[in-house]
Each structure stands twice: as structure tokens, then as C-alpha cells.
Amino acid sequence: MASPRRGAAIPRATSSLRDLLLLVALLLLLSVCGPSPTHGGDLRRVVEVPGEPRSVVWAVQLSDLHLSAFHPERAADFRRHVGDALAMVYPALVLITGDLTDAKSKDLLSSRHEEFEWILYGQVIDDVANRSGLSKEIFYDLRGNHDSYGVPEVGGMFDFYKKHSINARLGRTGAVQSITLQNSGMKYLFVGFDSAMGVGLRSPTNIFGQPTDLLLSDLDAALSQWDNQSTSSLVTKIVFGHFPISFSALTTSGRSIRDVFLKHSLSAYLCGHLHTNFGRNLKRHHTSDQQRFSSKQYFQLDIHEGMSTTVSNVNCSARTTESVAEFWEWEMGDWRSARSMRILAIDSGYVSYTDMDFRFGSRDVIIVPTFPLDSRFMHRSSYPYDFACQAMSTTHVGTVRALVFSRYKIKSVTVKIYESHSGSFQLVLEQEMEKTRGKGARGAMYTVPWNWRDFLDELPDRYWLQIEVVDMTGEIYHSEPRPFSVSGLTAKVSWTWKEFRVMGCQWNQLYYPIMWTTLAFLFSLVLVPRTSLTFYENRFMSKFIRPKMTGRSLGGFSPVNFEYFAVELSKMYFIWSGMLFYLLYLVCFPWFTGYAVTENYNKMYLHYRGWSTRYLANTTALPYIGLPDVMVIVLPHLLFVVLPAFLLIAAIAAERALYLGHHVSQRTKKDDDHYKKAWHMKNVYIFYWLRKILILLCLPIVWKHWKHCRAIVRAYEVNPFMDAPIYCFGVPALLWLAIYRSSSVGVYQV
């Protein structure tokens, strides 16, 4: 009788065990499918990308659309070209990295949001998505600085991004958004973040990304979401945002976006913001710097930081397992003027891209070589080791591969490899490629085996790759030639001065050193002559000079000449006092007051430290905002107005001193010395023209200052007489006084 009772308990035990196993399986399934959403609104989606080609995904990046009520052709071209291009490429993601609307007046001097532009943006994106056949779920759009112009608070009545953007309409409310693509067991993590100002200042003091400590914590968490997963699959990490590293400020605790990226050793950071105005080589390779104080926190002279350019002996067995902390930063061209679009491809973890523009119409064929990589902009520090130690066992090294997208049927695809020699190119390999076959193909991948050892060379740019495509109509298309290095070496490319200025300089770190150095020089220019005059009068001149300040000694080479020449500026006491007061005003007082945000709010005061938030209630706890963005007003005013004006005033004072010294010395000469009188008259004309030249040099300074003041008046609705009298009229007044004082000494007095 006992057995049935024990047997009756067996089903209940089995049921409990089954429930426990189901719970464990459910938890494992959730951990494999992806992390849960965070408090910051990051949905952390995981999407399976099925079909061929295996281990390859690609995305499209667009940036700086600047859709404007005054430039309808931008929206028209976007509708006309982008929808068809996306239908042909059929990407897994479409990333729009900021500046969705323009928010600028027709003359570009004032900025404010018009909801019409945002309604237009929403309609254009809907039309493009419908025309391409893509789901809007794969579109991600971020704010840029133009999208926050004058917006006093995120989510407020003037924040049209929160109403009309794709992210907002799909419920992506967080400043950090991530999505993981999966294909053939490999993961591709894309993380986008919004670092635009929380309190959106008007242009021009809104050009820097302003990340917060909370944003960096959320960004770090999003990039770490697969780090603790029990999976052996490779995770390729891509981050996209609007602002380059060089135009991203530090947080209040001194943290940097760059440090977060280096911690996770990204494959690439995709950004926009700089357009094509500054050049085409707006790329930068970052590596970690172990030194606490280094010049790299201020500038980077070379695109390729820490990259190998020569062949060195690689000890595969001795190499540590710790990877190099590094990432590539790739800024792309804008849609506003260049009509640019980028296709980013990830082939077995190797990231490449192709840029194109639609200024001359639509594209019938788009070619994206995925291997070998461009040795100028796509190699990583680990690649020499990968090729030297893993090439024998890595199957993908043995084929040349390229994605080809076409409106028409492809007739043939051919790889061509050229050897560069003394500026000329010689064809060394020409071989037809074959299309990969498989079910559910997402795109056309063409491959061809090659003997990669034939192209081993110590020069990273000796061999160049080009793909040739012929479609059914007989049209021939070529990819842009690119150098490659089988050894994994990097071909050096130098920045132009304009490119270095925007990509190599870390402006958030350079602002204060440049400003204080300029102010220190200006203060020394004003104070040193006065101090010198006091020193000579009290210590030296009372003993040696004053007893001799009679007769012909005035014309000799003595310390009297220093008194006349070096300290003439300080003897022009009213002008000297005005210069000193103006410098103290720039350091200690607000420069002007204006509407830094929407005109419905109170006016704010601008200091060199930023805009005062005293009258900006319930938006921020910080005393100043807009640092280092205010440098676009502070530095041009100091370097191109105040500095040249003060130097010119000193030059006018020096000319006056020289003339006085020469004139007084000539009064001691004999009147019958005709030769000396002729020489004196010649010098008078020299002084006359020198004074005219100095007066003419005042005109470009005043013109530059007038343009600055005009821009400030239009941008922030400043009344120059009430809101900025000293800023607007101080320098012109000092120049006029210097000219008037100098003109009071006639050059014809003999």
C-alpha cells in the first residue's frame, strides 16, 4: 500500500522539477536574446539578420540634412535620391547623425526653430521609408546642435525633436539607444547617443557636444551589455553620434567620451557636424595614453596615432592576450551641400565604408570593397599581428570580397590590383569575381580567391585595389582606388591645416590656455611700459638722466630714447587707462546681454566662462552654460580685434615718440646746415606716410569688429547701446583716441 503513495508523489516532484527547468531555460533565453531595457530609455533591441552573405552586415549613414524652409531643394533631393538608393542597398540600419533641420534664418545670422521644418522632416522620412520598402524601425535619428538651437529644455514646448523625430515617434526616449544585429553567430552592436545641449543655446554659442556623467554611464552600460554574456561569438562595437571628439566637452567631473570609447576599444565612431568645408580626410585614430599630462589632451598632429607603418618582427607566442585600447573616428560629409551618403560594411569583424554623393544625380551601381581594407583609414594596431600570426588559419584572408548593389542585372565584376611605382600604376592582377550563392540573399557579395602572399611588402601603399563592374546595359563602373597592405601596415596620410584645425585640436582643452595667454600678453603690453617708466623715473633717471636732459644730449643714444620710445603709450594716460579698463572689463564683467535661448525667456549675460543662468529658472543648476562654446565669440574678439587693435595703438604711440624725438633733436641743429635740413624734410615725409599707413590699418580691424557686433546683434537680439555698449564701442573708441592724439602732433612742424 506504500508504493502507490510514493508513486503518487512522483508526478508532483516531476512537475516541480519541470517548472524549475522551464524557469532556468527562460532565464537563459532572455540572457541570450539580449539585456533588458535600462532606466535611461535604451530599448536594447536584438535583431536577427538572416540570409546571405554570411558574417556580413551593412548600414547606411546620413548626416547634417539641414532641411530648411529657405532651401526646399535639400528635401526634394533627399526624396528623389535617398529612397531609391536605400531600396537598392537594402541596409540593416539607417543612421541619421544629427542636424536634421537647419533652424537658421535666410541670412544665417539668427537661429530659431520653426515647426514647419520639423513637419517637413517627418514627411520626407516617411516618404523615403515607403519608397525604399524599409521599415521605419531600422531608422535611428539623433539630435545635432542645430536641432537644439534656442530650445530651453528637453521635452518642452519648443523641443520639436521630441515630437517629430523617428526616435520620438517610436518611443525611443533615452539619450542612448542600442541595437544588436546577429548573423551567423556574430554580433554587431550599434550604440547611438545624444550629447546635444540640455539647455539649447542659440547659434553661434552652440557648437560643442555637452555630455553629462549620467550619459557616459549609460553609454558605458550599453557598450558593456554583451561583455558578461556566456557567448564566444565575436562582438563588433560601433558607436554613432553627431559631434566629433574634438568638438565634445568634458563632463562636470572631467570625464571624456573618448575614454569610454577607448575602454571598449570600438571598431569605429561615426559622426558628422563638420561637413565637407574643412576637407575630405576628417578621420582620426585614437589610442590610450598612459601619461597623465600629455600634449595629446590638447592636440594630435597625425591622423594615425600609434599605428605601425614599418615591418617589424612579430613574436606570436610572446604576445599578450590584452588587446590595444583604440578606435577609429570617421566624420562624414553632409547632405546640405555635398549630398553625401555612407555605406558601412562589417565583414567578419572587419569594418569598411564607401562614401558617395548625389550632387550629379542618382547612382545606378554602388561598390563597397570589404576586403582587403584601405590601409589609410581602416587598419587597427592589431592588424600586423593578425596577418602575421593568424593568416594561415583564417579563411577570409584568402579571398578578395566586395558588395555590389545595382539597379540592373550585373554582367561581370572584376578585381584589379595595381602596383604603384614612381607615381604611375601598373596592372599586376586582373581576375573575374563570382557571386556568392545562398538562400535569402540580402545583397550581392562577389568574391575571388587570391594568393595574398604575392602582395606582402614593407610599403603599405605599394599595391592598390579597384573593383570594376559591368551591368547588362554595358555601362562600366569603378570603385575608388584604395591602397592595401597584406602585412597590416598603415599608409600615412597627413592632415591639411584646415583638417588639423578641426580634427586634431581638442578645443575644449585649448580654449582657456589660448585665452589666458592672449590676455596675459595684452596686460603686459599695457602694464610693462608703465612699470618701466616708473622704474626709470624713480631709480635711474633721477640720478643720471634728468641732469643731462638739456641741449644736444636729447639727440644721443641714451636711456632718454627709451623714455621717449618704450613708454610713450603709458604717457598717453587717457588712452592707457582706457586700454587697462577694457581688459579688466573683459575679465571681470559680462560682455553683453541677450536672448541666448528662445525670446520668450529672460535675457542672459555672457561671460568668458559661459552664459550666466541667473535668470534662466528651473532649467539647470549650473551657474554657467555654454563652455567652451562661448569661445567662438571670445577668441575671435581677443585674437582678431583686441590684440591687433592694441598692437596698432602701441605702434601709433611708437610713431609719435619717434617723431617727437626726431623733431626735438632737429631743433638743436644749426639753421645754416642745409644738408641736415634736407635730410630732416625727407624724414618728415616718411613719418607722414607711416602715420597714414597706421591709420589705414585701423580700418580692417574696425570692419572685423563691426561684423562681429552685427552677428551678435542679430543672433541674440542685442541692443548695442543698451546691452553691449563697452563691447561694441570700446575698441573703436580707443583706436579713434589714439589716432586723434597722434594727429595732434603735426608732421610738418620744423
Side-chain angles (χ1 to χ4, degrees), residues 202-219:
R202 285 177 161 184
S203 173
T205 55
N206 186 344
I207 62 169
F208 279 79
Q210 298 284 352
T212 62
D213 288 306
L214 177 61
L215 174 68
L216 294 194
S217 298
D218 290 342
L219 186 59

Side-chain angles (χ1 to χ4, degrees), residues 4 36 116 207 230 257 261 301 309 349 410 464 503 528 547 580 597 637 677 735:
S36 59
F116 166 77
I207 62 169
S230 56
I257 286 179
F261 293 171
L301 296 175
T309 58
I410 297 298
W464 291 66
M503 287 297 289
V528 168
L580 181 60
V597 296
H637 184 65
K677 290 185 67 176
L735 287 172

Side-chain angles (χ1 to χ4, degrees), residues 136-241:
K136 279 188 288 217
E137 293 284 342
I138 71 170
F139 285 74
Y140 284 76
D141 54 358
L142 303 174
R143 287 196 308 163
N145 55 312
H146 281 249
D147 304 316
S148 64
Y149 278 166
V151 179
E153 56 182 330
V154 176
M157 63 180 297
F158 297 103
D159 186 7
F160 299 122
Y161 172 84
K162 289 295 184 180
K163 184 177 180 181
H164 297 285
S165 67
I166 299 174
N167 279 1
R169 287 188 284 167
L170 294 179
R172 302 171 189 154
T173 59
V176 176
Q177 295 295 326
S178 66
I179 180 172
T180 302
L181 305 179
Q182 295 185 144
N183 178 267
S184 301
M186 303 186 70
K187 290 182 172 61
Y188 309 92
L189 174 61
F190 286 80
V191 179
F193 68 97
D194 176 7
S195 62
M197 285 183 172
V199 179
L201 297 173
R202 285 177 161 184
S203 173
T205 55
N206 186 344
I207 62 169
F208 279 79
Q210 298 284 352
T212 62
D213 288 306
L214 177 61
L215 174 68
L216 294 194
S217 298
D218 290 342
L219 186 59
D220 184 30
L223 289 169
S224 305
Q225 61 185 270
W226 295 108
D227 293 352
N228 298 324
Q229 301 298 317
S230 56
T231 175
S232 59
S233 62
L234 177 66
V235 179
T236 302
K237 298 179 180 180
I238 305 290
V239 174
F240 57 99

Side-chain angles (χ1 to χ4, degrees), residues 503-556:
M503 287 297 289
C505 296
Q506 200 64 36
W507 287 107
N508 66 305
Q509 299 282 65
L510 289 171
Y511 168 46
Y512 272 167
I514 294 175
M515 185 197 72
W516 286 117
T517 300
T518 306
L519 285 173
F521 176 79
L522 291 171
F523 272 109
S524 65
L525 184 67
V526 174
L527 295 176
V528 168
R530 186 69 183 179
T531 306
S532 301
L533 176 62
T534 304
F535 174 80
Y536 277 106
E537 285 180 344
N538 297 336
R539 297 291 187 89
F540 187 77
M541 294 173 63
S542 60
K543 295 181 179 180
F544 299 101
I545 297 178
R546 282 176 180 160
K548 300 179 181 180
M549 289 180 63
T550 59
R552 298 180 181 272
S553 65
L554 289 171

Side-chain angles (χ1 to χ4, degrees), residues 395-454:
T395 56
H396 69 266
V397 177
T399 57
V400 178
R401 298 184 299 283
L403 289 168
V404 179
F405 308 101
S406 175
R407 298 180 188 274
Y408 310 107
K409 185 177 180 180
I410 297 298
K411 183 177 180 180
S412 66
V413 177
T414 305
V415 58
K416 294 184 177 181
I417 296 180
Y418 297 88
E419 181 181 5
S420 62
H421 200 62
S422 301
S424 61
F425 291 88
Q426 181 180 357
L427 183 63
V428 295
L429 176 66
E430 182 176 7
Q431 195 168 347
E432 188 168 347
M433 306 178 74
E434 294 184 359
K435 183 179 179 180
T436 57
R437 305 294 179 182
K439 295 182 179 180
R442 295 172 283 116
M445 169 69 82
Y446 287 82
T447 65
V448 61
W450 68 324
N451 188 359
W452 55 269
R453 296 177 182 84
D454 291 342

Side-chain angles (χ1 to χ4, degrees), residues 686-740:
I686 294 177
F687 283 118
Y688 173 80
W689 285 109
L690 178 60
R691 186 172 300 174
K692 291 292 185 181
I693 292 174
L694 291 177
I695 294 175
L696 288 176
L697 288 177
C698 294
L699 296 180
I701 298 175
V702 174
W703 171 255
K704 186 74 174 179
H705 183 53
W706 178 83
K707 290 182 65 177
H708 286 177
C709 292
R710 176 173 175 264
I712 294 302
V713 168
R714 291 281 287 113
Y716 303 112
E717 302 179 39
V718 173
N719 185 328
F721 299 98
M722 300 294 296
D723 301 327
I726 299 178
Y727 172 81
C728 290
F729 303 112
V731 171
L734 290 172
L735 287 172
W736 182 84
L737 286 174
I739 294 172
Y740 176 79

